[in-house]
Amino acid sequence: MRVLILSCNTGEGHNSCSAAIQECFEAQGVHCEVADALRFISQGASRLFAKAHVAMYRHVPGLFRHGYRFLEQHPGVFQQRTPVHRFLTVGAQRLSRYIADGGFNAVICSHVLSALILTETLRRHPLPVRTAFVATDYTCSPSMDESALDLYFIPDASLAQEFLVGSIRAEQLIPSGIPVRSVFYRRSDREAAGAAFGIPEGHRHMMMMCGSMGCGPMKQLTKLLAQKLTPQQHLSVLCGTNKRLFQQMKQRYANRENIHIYDYVEDISLLMDSVDLYLTKPGGLSTTEASVKCLPMVMVDAVAGCEEHNRRYFLNTGLGVTADSPKELAEKCAELLSNPERTRALRAAGEVHRPAVAAERICKKLIELCGAETRTA
């Protein structure tokens, strides 16, 4: 069996999801590749999408918010024969050839754009492959109704009604959860994990991360939190690919022993095991990783769009809290960091709702499906 995962070069969440599924397939001896669906249009198109995505998230989040809302209200933007659809599918023949030459039995899409590209590719160039979409947010993406794949793996059964759009039928929906890498399901001793990051025993620790690109009011939040932290309370800030933010923050807090500024942390799972509180924008992957760790979350409304739906999901399930402004968010964090009983209660709620291993469910279903077809061929 050979599996192709089509991700998209628009943020790390879709790539992280793809990596989790790939890891699971390979652990079972199944060949699995991950490719950027946008590169079948062209390498330039892929780079353009990536740069535009980062620019919007970091500098004009309001544009992303309004753009996402527009797509929700005007799903016809991606219909066949529209300019957007024609642009996205100019690489259909190249993708078809790649699938055929690679001998793939199944193709999985971890982004709505790759699902649309694959749908049109197979409409023009039919191939004997099974297809699936894996949602990476706690909502149905706009224009999903234009896709036509075999299976749709969704984050939770409670969201099933949202995904019944276009030609998608209830029997095609599988509530699997959102895939995260297996390392997040392992837990290290809290004190030992803290020691690895310079957190003294018995001290409280929170981390802040706003996506791989370091967006949102991170600078303002760090300043507000710095005024509220006691010497026994620590803050770790992850700036991701935002090099300018990292250098500014690193210089500004160089003399604060209880504020730790990072660009990337190699073992993010270990860092999570050391913290009592997680301040994050509600990206689908980051919130799922935190929920696997049962971390109490304070959620920042950094870019809205799909993340507004993610935030609502975790607020409704009692796994996170939020506030309307950076000042109120900092106050909420300070309150929770100083209240171990409250964070323990949030963690206990997380244990009740802790997600199953989504990647395993997805791999098992597709292996069974492709295996059954092979036996009956």
Side-chain angles (χ1 to χ4, degrees):
M1 180 176 176
R2 294 173 65 84
V3 179
L4 173 65
I5 303 175
L6 292 175
S7 187
C8 267
N9 197 14
T10 54
E12 277 304 303
H14 310 288
N15 293 331
S16 295
C17 168
S18 301
I21 300 170
Q22 181 184 38
E23 174 190 66
C24 188
F25 271 121
E26 291 181 344
Q28 299 183 58
V30 174
H31 176 88
C32 183
E33 295 179 21
V34 178
D36 172 21
L38 296 174
R39 77 175 176 85
F40 292 97
I41 302 172
S42 72
Q43 292 288 2
S46 178
R47 287 193 294 269
L48 178 63
F49 268 85
K51 288 180 180 179
H53 185 78
V54 171
M56 279 195 295
Y57 263 59
R58 282 186 189 166
H59 307 299
V60 281
L63 182 60
F64 180 84
R65 178 184 290 108
H66 292 302
Y68 191 91
R69 192 167 298 154
F70 177 85
L71 291 177
E72 288 182 312
Q73 296 168 352
H74 302 83
V77 169
F78 289 93
Q79 286 179 346
Q80 284 186 27
R81 293 182 291 279
T82 61
V84 174
H85 187 270
R86 285 199 297 269
F87 171 73
L88 286 175
T89 55
V90 295
Q93 187 172 358
R94 283 188 290 274
L95 176 57
S96 172
R97 191 180 303 119
Y98 189 86
I99 294 170
D101 291 348
F104 295 106
N105 308 95
V107 184
I108 301 170
C109 300
S110 63
H111 193 288
V112 63
L113 293 184
S114 59
L116 297 179
I117 292 169
L118 179 62
T119 295
E120 181 63 15
T121 295
L122 296 180
R123 188 186 71 81
R124 297 182 192 177
H125 312 282
L127 292 168
V129 294
R130 304 303 294 191
T131 58
F133 171 75
V134 179
T136 57
D137 288 294
Y138 291 83
T139 187
C140 181
S141 300
S143 302
M144 185 57 65
D145 59 323
E146 294 298 322
S147 68
L149 306 181
D150 295 321
L151 298 174
Y152 293 80
F153 294 96
I154 64 175
D156 191 83
S158 65
L159 302 171
Q161 195 62 37
E162 282 191 41
F163 284 84
L164 294 177
V165 295
S167 62
I168 301 174
R169 305 181 307 278
E171 56 267 30
Q172 294 176 275
L173 303 180
I174 301 175
S176 61
I178 295 177
V180 301
R181 289 177 292 127
S182 61
V183 66
F184 289 98
Y185 288 89
R186 300 193 289 270
R187 293 185 185 175
S188 302
D189 174 77
R190 180 187 172 283
E191 297 296 343
F197 293 95
I199 310 299
E201 185 175 351
H203 286 209
R204 301 279 283 172
H205 183 204
M206 70 173 289
M207 65 177 283
M208 173 168 58
M209 182 170 68
C210 286
S212 62
M213 59 203 76
C215 63
M218 295 180 69
K219 192 184 299 185
Q220 187 179 2
L221 283 166
T222 304
K223 180 180 178 181
L224 290 165
L225 287 165
Q227 298 166 3
K228 296 179 180 295
L229 293 174
T230 70
Q232 288 73 43
Q233 295 174 339
H234 291 248
L235 170 64
S236 291
V237 181
L238 278 68
C239 301
T241 59
N242 195 332
K243 295 180 180 179
R244 182 180 180 186
L245 177 66
F246 172 67
Q247 294 298 335
Q248 289 175 339
M249 299 269 275
K250 189 78 173 175
Q251 183 176 359
R252 179 164 188 172
Y253 297 102
N255 296 322
R256 286 291 300 265
E257 293 184 358
N258 62 342
I259 296 181
H260 314 271
I261 309 298
Y262 300 97
D263 45 6
Y264 269 108
V265 169
E266 190 69 29
D267 194 345
I268 188 69
S269 175
L270 184 65
L271 178 61
M272 284 184 164
D273 286 335
S274 76
V275 306
D276 303 285
L277 189 64
Y278 183 32
L279 178 59
T280 180
K281 76 178 184 66
L285 266 292
S286 54
T287 50
T288 303
E289 290 166 354
S291 66
V292 167
K293 291 288 189 183
C294 302
L295 284 183
M297 283 184 280
V298 178
M299 292 177 286
V300 184
D301 182 14
V303 293
C306 54
E307 297 190 357
E308 189 173 357
H309 297 282
N310 297 338
R311 184 175 65 152
R312 185 181 303 119
Y313 174 85
F314 282 99
L315 291 175
N316 289 341
T317 53
L319 302 180
V321 298
T322 191
D324 293 330
S325 69
K327 181 180 178 182
E328 292 171 319
L329 285 165
E331 290 172 352
K332 179 71 71 175
C333 289
E335 173 193 339
L336 288 169
L337 202 60
S338 300
N339 190 340
E341 289 186 9
R342 176 71 174 124
T343 52
R344 277 196 295 269
L346 286 169
R347 195 179 286 272
E351 294 284 359
V352 173
H353 296 280
R354 191 176 189 229
V357 184
E360 289 185 3
R361 290 185 174 183
I362 293 167
C363 293
K364 181 180 179 182
K365 182 65 178 179
L366 285 169
I367 289 172
E368 288 176 353
L369 190 60
C370 291
E373 290 180 346
T374 301
R375 288 192 296 272
T376 58

